[in-house]
Amino acid sequence: MTNCAAATTRRTDAVRAAEFYSELMYIALLSYTAPRNEVDYTLAEHAEWLRAQFSHGLFLVSGNGHEDADQVILTRPCLRGKLDAVLATDPLVLQRLARYRVIEFSATRTAGGFHTINEALAS
């Protein structure tokens, strides 16, 4: 692919991403506020809660964090109020064992693997 063709492809990808992500997306950073041995008792409930959010289609990716957060969640575009309401139902939050910090962003470019997600968001 020539440099000109690659630049055109990158612009097209960026435009396509902007079309699909007209709403804000979020990164939710979960930090434990209690000792880990207390948190461990609620992790099974938290894992079930995560599965439910994935099945509802709100969460795209989750995993263990490093340094700034104990866990990280990437969400689909949604209203911030909806996300805050969902995060408030996390068993770790309900039992005051953890808290969320949410980072808002507008996606302007995505990797090729996310194109199927982009198309699902557009429909």
Side-chain angles (χ1 to χ4, degrees):
M1 182 179 291
T2 67
N3 285 342
C4 184
T8 301
T9 301
R10 282 192 298 271
R11 267 187 265 122
T12 302
D13 288 346
V15 169
R16 287 190 64 211
E19 292 170 9
F20 295 116
Y21 294 119
S22 58
E23 298 178 49
L24 291 174
M25 292 179 70
Y26 304 95
I27 299 170
L29 304 172
L30 179 71
S31 297
Y32 302 142
T33 57
R36 180 61 194 242
N37 62 338
E38 291 179 36
V39 170
D40 286 344
Y41 290 109
T42 309
L43 286 180
E45 291 174 60
H46 170 72
E48 182 57 37
W49 174 83
L50 277 173
R51 276 190 288 279
Q53 303 319 312
F54 275 101
S55 70
H56 295 318
L58 180 59
F59 294 171
L60 294 173
V61 178
S62 70
N64 294 329
H66 301 279
E67 295 179 24
D68 289 345
D70 294 295
Q71 293 184 19
V72 178
I73 300 169
L74 175 64
T75 74
R76 289 185 181 273
C78 67
L79 297 174
R80 175 64 189 265
K82 176 183 176 179
L83 177 62
D84 289 342
V86 168
L87 295 177
T89 66
D90 183 338
L92 291 171
V93 173
L94 290 172
Q95 294 183 33
R96 293 187 165 86
L97 300 171
R99 69 174 184 280
Y100 280 97
R101 182 168 68 95
V102 177
I103 299 169
E104 300 178 354
F105 72 100
S106 296
T108 56
R109 186 168 297 183
T110 60
F114 274 88
H115 287 291
T116 55
I117 294 170
N118 293 347
E119 292 165 9
L121 290 173
S123 59

